[in-house]
Amino acid sequence: MNERKKNSLTVWQAICLLLATFFMLVQIFNFSSSLRRFPFGSVLSFVPTMATNATMIFVPMVFGAVYSKRKVHPTESFRFWLSAVVTLVLLYLVYFFRLPGNFNMWLLWGVFFPVITSTSVLLSGLIFSILVQPFLYDFQKKLTPKQNLLVLCLLTILGFATSAGTMIFKYSIYGIYLILYFAWGMFLANAKISGKTFRWTIFGGIVSFFVVLIGVPGFDGVYWYQLLSGRTGSFNAWNRYFLDNQTSPAMALMVIAVFLVFRRVIVKFTSREMRYFIPVIAFMDAPVTAGLLKSFHLTNSAGLNKIIMIIIMMIVCLLLAKVYDKYLFRIRPFRRTLLKISRRSSLIEILQDSWSALVRWATEHRVQLLTWSWFYVLSFASFLIESDNLRIQISTASDVNAVVFLLGTRFFAIILTTIFLDAMFSILYFVTTRYWTSTILVSVVTIGWAVANKVKLNLRGEPIYPSELAEASNFKTLIPMIGSTILIVAGIAILIVVLLAVFLEIKYSIKKKGSWKHRGIWALLSLLLFLTPLRFNHDGDIIYHINRGFDNKQSFRNPERDIQINGPVLNFLNYIDLQIMNEPSDYSKSTMTKLAKKYEKIAAQINKTRKNNISSQTIVFNLSESFVDPYTFPTIKIDKSVPNPVKFIQSMKSRATYGNMLSAGYGGGTANMEWETLTGLNMGLFRTTLTPYVQVVPRYKYYPTIGMNFSYKSAVHPFIGTYYSRVEDYQRFKFNKFVYLGSKYKIIDQKKLGKSTYNSDYTTYANGLKQINSRSGGQFINLISIQNHMPYNNWYPKNEYMGKISGDLFKSGAVQQQMATYIKGTQYTDKAVKKFITQIDKIKKPITVVFYGDHYPSILSQSYTSKYPVQMHSTRYFIYSNKYARQHGAKSKLTQNTDYVSTSDFIAMMLEQTNSKVTPYQALLTEVHKKLPAITINYEGDKGFELINQKGKKVDPKTLTSEQQALLKDYELVQYDMTAGSAYGLSISGFYK
């Protein structure tokens, strides 16, 4: 009350307050680059940093001077903290509304715990200083002025000497050092300073200013000279900025001189005015302030814009000071807290009371706290299960300890998982009304789900996707992949869990918490929470930003790493509502009609030089499971004493169209490459990784493929046919027949090699040949093998490649064994392909085979793909036309744009090689193949596509010509139409067929 009775600020005080505010807020922006344009710019550019460091010394001095009159109660530190938190809350609300894409839970955490999270070292230093002020007050009273001066000088020199100016004031703990300058302020406010001392101090301050101003850039130059001349091997060998460090005696003397100049004004300020500076400090130091202010463009001049924003911030600070002074500490919870704290005379008593209150609260809510703690541990455990022996590969060169990495960088992703687990618990608890039953069910589901994902990760190099839940019906084929041991262990574990739940419910029953209405509300809110994943991938949506603010950022390009850093729960939720493609701005039925007419003309031009009709020929698209030329593996060396396993397929380079196919998958995704070959569309144009067979094709009653150009089309796959919804999708493709294990069509010549459980490629080609010979006219056959599917468990006896594999990526014994098994499998493939090609050469009808490997086998860690992005996505392909086809107009090989091709290029390439006429859509594909680099997924990023030239190098889309960009846009329009759009192209006569 005494403070309110005092007179208003004097003119000098008001001017000083405004100047100080302006000077502090200016530091939000970095003017170093601007100062370099002036004369002596290389020296002036260091001034902003000097000013910032001087502020960190000067402000505690001012506070020390103002709070030196009497002992200060710890309630003042609470006022500081509360003012800072409220200011930061307001600042961050504006920031997140202005820039929602920058929402981040780590930043939000810093709002409520500015000291713990080092939001502001200066604020932390002031809070620490106020807490120890009573001890400083008593200590300084016991000493004479000379003794006080001696102690402060010794501590200042000692602090510099022990740190050598290397203290980096970015962490709250360094706020403790600022207590020294707070003590300087307390001493200087009451010290009697003679005119002579004052003049010498000012002189010393001026000298110190020039020492720092000249010395800092001077030592910076010395440092770079030493570094460039090879005299120092580390950027951190010494601190070249030690002169303007906050511990520097030169900086301290300079600030003390400034303090003495304004001492008379400073000592007249009250604690009320000092509280005004807390919001100023919060704005000045908050990590988001600069970004927020720069987002407002009020003028075309960057410099003027900064000045205007600083003035606006000054006005905001003044308004907040008025509001805080009048209302903030009258709010009931804050007022009650202040009253409780004020009843205790010392900090120790306040801490004791706080601890007692915390213990009482924790005891009262122990069930909820323990439940939450358990769910956090459960979440953390689910993350660990997905790691590789408690290691997570963060780059091709290094991995990190999973425990440290997850706790240190994935804290809020684990928290978000915990929130979802608690929501699951709330729903189950409302339904069952049994605490232990609900808790154990959540635990079993979480761990079981994590283990199931890990099993699939080990088998396929990818997690379980929502679209694959229907595959659980194929349990007969899943069991051999999983292994009977795991199933037995899982069964025993489930039995134990059931018995444990019964025991706990009987022996340690926990009464229901809250009324049924209360639990019902929580259950309803929990159900609503489970609807939020439907908006996780809607860019710009509020839920999208909140989700990413919890560090749940899915790349959709590296499934193995995604599940390791996001955990199995969030990873699954991220895939629930994938966004297929962004709608092109001009997408409409009229646009598609115009596009069809455009390519109808181009098709007519192409068809002038083509004499064959594809419908009268036999075309085989042969997907060879996981086939890669072993010699193309990164760093691999195969002993020369063993035979070339793929000699025949390599020989196709001279007698067929031959090269590298860019795969959109690694270790999995077979159906995606199959979809690309059949449709001519490309996975790279999608917003995220998805499975078109499951998430796109079912959207349409009929789906166009290359098969629609034939009166008869079929698929042959000597394995289970229900994977990836093939049975249903082939019906949408209007296939006449699908031959698979369990179908009404018999798989002939079933032959397994060694201990392998898969039908061999000999079986695949025997059934393919049967289908070829079953019809006299033209037909299309989609032939899919299974022999080289993972795992690679040393299937083959007398494997000459065992122990003959070496290379930087093949040092592990397990990898060497798997690789030897895989290479032996490719040798069997090579022999089967040779036999098949020999057989079709004898058939007197035109047959063309498009052979391709769908993706790399999941032997090498997927983390290496970032080091070898193109190489580890390049499989071998060839397009071969038999003798009869060549005798009737087919080319033996294509010679242009064949080294690196997209999977989606095969339709256009096959039509060109067979000299067949094209539809308008196929004319578009032909133009895309001939005029654009190969399109594929973005191997190095999260979104978008990549363009790869014929040398296997990335092409910047910005370098495309206007003609190429227009062509790419046409291609995107057609793909959108048949993946996320209204399929207008199907209603346009003659566009596809």
Side-chain angles (χ1 to χ4, degrees):
M1 293 297 293
N2 292 332
E3 291 179 5
R4 293 183 181 276
K5 291 179 181 179
K6 290 184 178 181
N7 295 328
S8 301
L9 289 172
T10 65
V11 174
W12 273 110
Q13 283 180 307
I15 292 174
C16 288
L17 184 144
L18 291 175
L19 286 175
T21 304
F22 182 83
F23 181 77
M24 293 171 72
L25 293 178
V26 162
Q27 297 175 35
I28 293 172
F29 300 105
N30 186 354
F31 290 92
S32 296
S33 58
S34 300
L35 291 172
R36 290 184 184 276
R37 303 192 194 105
F38 291 91
F40 306 104
S42 59
V43 174
L44 293 176
S45 63
F46 291 92
V47 171
T49 302
M50 186 195 309
T52 299
N53 295 340
T55 301
M56 197 170 288
I57 298 173
F58 185 73
V59 172
M61 282 188 184
V62 173
F63 273 76
V66 174
Y67 286 97
S68 65
K69 303 176 182 67
R70 59 181 180 274
K71 288 185 179 181
V72 180
H73 195 273
T75 51
E76 191 68 9
S77 64
F78 176 75
R79 290 175 184 269
F80 284 6
W81 176 83
L82 183 60
S83 297
V85 168
V86 173
T87 302
L88 290 171
V89 167
L90 296 174
L91 173 64
Y92 278 69
L93 281 175
V94 175
Y95 178 72
F96 292 141
F97 275 109
R98 177 70 179 174
L99 303 168
N102 293 342
F103 176 76
N104 186 284
M105 281 301 297
W106 286 108
L107 294 176
L108 195 62
W109 179 265
V111 169
F112 297 101
F113 301 96
V115 176
I116 295 176
T117 57
S118 302
T119 299
S120 171
V121 179
L122 181 55
L123 173 66
S124 302
L126 295 177
I127 292 175
F128 295 153
S129 298
I130 291 297
L131 290 174
V132 301
Q133 190 271 352
F135 303 100
L136 293 176
Y137 184 86
D138 289 337
F139 182 74
Q140 290 190 347
K141 287 292 183 183
K142 293 177 182 178
L143 303 179
T144 64
K146 289 184 178 180
Q147 289 173 331
N148 270 303
L149 180 61
L150 180 62
V151 169
L152 291 171
C153 288
L154 285 175
L155 288 174
T156 302
I157 295 171
L158 183 64
F160 178 73
T162 54
S163 69
T166 57
M167 284 193 190
I168 307 298
F169 283 73
K170 292 182 179 180
Y171 306 103
S172 292
I173 191 65
Y174 289 108
I176 294 175
Y177 193 89
L178 300 183
I179 296 174
L180 172 62
Y181 297 119
F182 185 88
W184 265 108
M186 291 180 65
F187 166 70
L188 293 173
N190 300 295
K192 294 181 180 179
I193 300 173
S194 64
K196 183 179 179 181
T197 303
F198 177 81
R199 288 190 294 272
W200 276 108
T201 304
I202 298 302
F203 176 75
I206 294 172
V207 172
S208 296
F209 171 76
F210 284 104
V211 167
V212 175
L213 184 65
I214 297 171
V216 171
F219 280 114
D220 185 58
V222 171
Y223 165 77
W224 282 105
Y225 168 74
Q226 291 180 330
L227 185 69
L228 295 174
S229 61
R231 300 186 184 186
T232 177
S234 172
F235 274 79
N236 298 312
W238 60 289
N239 180 18
R240 59 194 187 276
Y241 304 126
F242 68 93
L243 283 175
D244 74 340
N245 188 267
Q246 288 87 340
T247 63
S248 168
M251 287 288 291
L253 181 57
M254 181 177 67
V255 173
I256 288 171
V258 175
F259 177 89
L260 292 181
V261 172
F262 294 97
R263 185 173 74 149
R264 289 185 180 181
V265 178
I266 291 171
V267 296
K268 291 180 181 179
F269 280 110
T270 66
S271 58
R272 186 179 175 189
E273 280 90 46
M274 289 301 98
R275 290 172 201 150
Y276 157 78
F277 281 104
I278 298 303
V280 177
I281 293 170
F283 285 138
M284 179 182 74
D285 285 345
V288 303
T289 310
L292 174 63
L293 299 187
K294 288 178 181 178
S295 71
F296 294 95
H297 303 286
L298 304 179
T299 69
N300 293 327
S301 170
L304 180 59
N305 203 70
K306 290 178 181 178
I307 298 299
I308 293 174
M309 293 310 303
I310 290 170
I311 293 173
I312 292 174
M313 291 300 293
M314 290 177 66
I315 296 172
V316 170
C317 289
L318 291 170
L319 292 175
L320 288 179
K322 289 288 185 182
V323 173
Y324 290 173
D325 184 55
K326 191 172 183 179
Y327 300 107
L328 182 60
F329 302 107
R330 295 183 183 182
I331 298 173
R332 181 175 296 178
F334 302 153
R335 185 177 62 190
R336 289 175 60 184
T337 303
L338 282 170
L339 287 173
K340 285 182 180 180
I341 296 174
S342 63
R343 293 185 187 131
R344 294 292 178 261
S345 59
S346 69
L347 178 61
I348 300 300
E349 291 178 346
I350 293 171
L351 291 175
Q352 288 175 337
D353 283 354
S354 300
W355 176 254
S356 299
L358 179 63
V359 170
R360 287 195 302 272
W361 180 84
T363 302
E364 182 181 350
H365 299 87
R366 61 186 180 279
V367 174
Q368 293 94 321
L369 289 174
L370 289 173
T371 303
W372 247 88
S373 299
W374 169 244
F375 287 155
Y376 182 83
V377 171
L378 198 62
S379 301
F380 181 56
S382 71
F383 277 70
L384 287 181
I385 288 172
E386 309 307 330
S387 65
D388 296 321
N389 298 319
L390 297 183
R391 307 290 296 181
I392 292 178
Q393 196 88 21
I394 59 173
S395 70
T396 57
S398 63
D399 56 11
V400 294
N401 182 280
V403 175
V404 175
F405 176 79
L406 292 173
L407 292 178
T409 65
R410 308 302 299 160
F411 176 77
F412 282 108
I414 300 173
I415 287 290
L416 185 57
T417 301
T418 304
I419 292 173
F420 275 101
L421 295 188
D422 187 69
M424 189 191 307
F425 168 81
S426 297
I427 296 169
L428 292 172
Y429 191 39
F430 178 73
V431 174
T432 66
T433 70
R434 296 288 185 270
Y435 173 83
W436 288 114
T437 300
S438 303
T439 304
I440 290 175
L441 279 173
V442 172
S443 304
V444 169
V445 169
T446 304
I447 297 300
W449 182 250
V451 171
N453 274 273
K454 183 61 177 178
V455 169
K456 185 167 186 278
L457 205 61
N458 289 337
L459 292 175
R460 299 289 301 274
E462 60 183 12
I464 299 172
Y465 300 121
S467 58
E468 295 175 324
L469 291 181
E471 305 299 338
S473 60
N474 299 307
F475 62 92
K476 290 183 180 180
T477 56
L478 289 174
I479 289 175
M481 291 185 187
I482 296 172
S484 57
T485 302
I486 294 177
L487 292 174
I488 293 172
V489 171
I492 295 173
I494 291 172
L495 178 62
I496 293 173
V497 165
V498 171
L499 294 175
L500 178 62
V502 173
F503 171 76
L504 291 173
E505 290 291 359
I506 296 174
K507 188 71 175 177
Y508 300 101
S509 179
I510 293 178
K511 295 181 180 179
K512 295 186 287 293
K513 294 290 182 180
S515 65
W516 70 270
K517 289 184 179 180
H518 176 80
R519 288 182 282 111
I521 291 172
W522 272 112
L524 179 60
L525 291 175
S526 298
L527 283 172
L528 293 176
L529 177 67
F530 277 103
L531 295 178
T532 59
L534 296 176
R535 308 295 298 179
F536 273 7
N537 298 310
H538 288 251
D539 200 345
D541 193 277
I542 185 65
I543 292 176
Y544 171 87
H545 293 308
I546 293 174
N547 174 55
R548 294 180 74 82
F550 273 89
D551 284 337
N552 181 27
K553 299 175 182 178
Q554 194 85 343
S555 74
F556 298 108
R557 294 304 190 203
N558 190 334
E560 182 179 10
R561 187 174 182 275
D562 280 347
I563 196 172
Q564 288 184 339
I565 65 174
N566 293 323
V569 174
L570 296 182
N571 189 78
F572 181 80
L573 296 178
N574 287 334
Y575 277 92
I576 284 180
D577 182 43
L578 290 178
Q579 297 300 292
I580 299 173
M581 288 182 70
N582 291 324
E583 181 176 334
S585 57
D586 56 346
Y587 174 69
S588 66
K589 187 173 184 179
S590 62
T591 299
M592 293 302 298
T593 302
K594 292 177 183 177
L595 187 145
K597 290 180 180 178
K598 173 182 176 180
Y599 286 96
E600 184 178 354
K601 295 178 181 178
I602 295 175
Q605 290 295 323
I606 294 173
N607 291 339
K608 287 180 180 179
T609 61
R610 306 271 180 98
K611 68 176 185 178
N612 289 333
N613 288 314
I614 194 66
S615 60
S616 61
Q617 302 181 59
T618 297
I619 304 298
V620 181
F621 275 17
N622 176 203
L623 185 156
S624 184
E625 173 62 46
S626 301
F627 181 84
V628 179
D629 184 334
Y631 291 96
T632 65
F633 275 77
T635 78
I636 195 169
K637 294 178 182 177
I638 303 174
D639 197 291
K640 293 182 179 180
S641 64
V642 295
N644 181 347
V646 289
K647 184 177 180 180
F648 177 77
I649 290 176
Q650 287 181 353
S651 73
M652 297 300 286
K653 184 175 184 179
S654 61
R655 45 198 298 235
T657 303
Y658 178 93
N660 300 288
M661 184 205 83
L662 296 169
S663 173
Y666 179 84
T670 297
N672 295 344
M673 275 60 77
E674 184 184 342
W675 174 82
E676 285 186 309
T677 61
L678 295 178
T679 65
L681 303 178
N682 196 285
M683 293 294 297
L685 299 185
F686 289 134
R687 284 184 58 181
T688 57
T689 296
L690 48 81
T691 305
Y693 269 11
V694 179
Q695 292 150 315
V696 172
V697 175
R699 289 167 47 88
Y700 305 91
K701 292 182 179 179
Y702 172 66
Y703 210 84
T705 67
I706 181 61
M708 70 189 299
N709 296 95
F710 298 82
S711 60
Y712 195 90
K713 47 267 184 187
S714 62
V716 178
H717 183 36
F719 191 59
I720 304 301
T722 52
Y723 283 125
Y724 299 111
S725 303
R726 279 194 179 99
V727 173
E728 294 82 4
D729 287 349
Y730 285 168
Q731 291 176 354
R732 290 183 174 87
F733 298 161
K734 302 301 180 184
F735 277 21
N736 301 88
K737 180 196 291 187
F738 180 22
V739 184
Y740 61 93
L741 289 178
S743 70
K744 61 182 180 180
Y745 307 103
K746 183 180 180 181
I747 297 289
I748 65 170
D749 293 346
Q750 294 193 38
K751 179 181 180 181
K752 297 176 174 62
L753 302 174
K755 299 177 183 178
S756 175
T757 58
Y758 299 121
N759 275 317
S760 69
D761 282 353
Y762 294 106
T763 300
T764 300
Y765 292 120
N767 284 270
L769 194 64
K770 177 185 176 184
Q771 181 58 43
I772 290 173
N773 291 323
S774 68
R775 298 187 63 81
S776 58
Q779 63 172 315
F780 173 78
I781 303 170
N782 190 40
L783 185 62
I784 311 167
S785 73
I786 191 66
Q787 173 191 290
N788 294 319
H789 195 284
M790 50 72 59
Y792 308 101
N793 294 339
N794 194 14
W795 303 127
Y796 312 116
K798 299 179 180 179
N799 186 348
E800 63 268 41
Y801 301 99
M802 200 66 69
K804 302 295 184 179
I805 312 299
S806 61
D808 293 340
L809 306 187
F810 301 89
K811 294 179 180 179
S812 165
V815 171
Q816 288 180 348
Q817 185 186 73
Q818 290 180 56
M819 196 63 198
T821 301
Y822 173 77
I823 292 177
K824 185 64 177 178
T826 63
Q827 185 186 51
Y828 285 124
T829 296
D830 190 71
K831 292 178 179 178
V833 169
K834 181 179 181 179
K835 180 180 178 182
F836 180 61
I837 294 297
T838 302
Q839 289 171 322
I840 66 170
D841 262 339
K842 296 177 182 178
I843 299 175
K844 299 299 181 180
K845 61 179 179 179
I847 304 171
T848 295
V849 177
V850 179
F851 171 94
Y852 66 98
D854 57 340
H855 54 70
Y856 255 66
S858 55
I859 296 175
L860 297 177
S861 172
Q862 189 171 355
S863 60
Y864 290 115
T865 58
S866 60
K867 188 174 182 180
Y868 307 98
V870 175
Q871 188 173 355
M872 290 184 69
H873 285 91
S874 297
T875 65
R876 188 66 72 213
Y877 86 91
F878 67 78
I879 303 175
Y880 178 77
S881 296
N882 72 343
K883 292 180 181 179
Y884 190 89
R886 297 196 303 273
Q887 291 169 356
H888 291 77
K891 300 176 182 179
S892 60
K893 60 187 298 185
L894 304 179
T895 58
Q896 294 182 341
N897 299 332
T898 59
D899 290 340
Y900 284 89
V901 303
S902 300
T903 319
S904 54
D905 286 328
F906 286 152
I907 292 177
M909 296 175 71
M910 176 273 295
L911 290 168
E912 183 180 3
Q913 178 155 326
T914 57
N915 200 14
S916 299
K917 298 181 184 299
V918 299
T919 65
Y921 173 62
Q922 291 164 353
L924 169 63
L925 297 183
T926 302
E927 292 286 282
V928 168
H929 169 62
K930 288 189 173 183
K931 296 182 179 180
L932 290 177
I935 306 171
T936 187
I937 63 171
N938 187 344
Y939 294 143
E940 300 177 359
D942 295 348
K943 297 179 180 180
F945 58 87
E946 276 188 356
L947 299 174
I948 306 298
N949 64 20
Q950 291 302 297
K951 294 182 179 180
K953 302 298 181 182
K954 185 176 179 180
V955 176
D956 188 345
K958 295 179 181 178
T959 63
L960 295 179
T961 65
S962 57
E963 180 188 5
Q964 288 176 313
Q965 291 174 350
L967 176 59
L968 182 58
K969 184 178 180 181
D970 290 344
Y971 188 39
E972 289 176 329
L973 274 167
V974 172
Q975 176 150 330
Y976 179 83
D977 186 52
M978 279 312 307
T979 56
S982 302
Y984 295 130
L986 289 178
S987 62
I988 300 173
S989 178
F991 181 64
Y992 284 108
K993 188 174 181 180

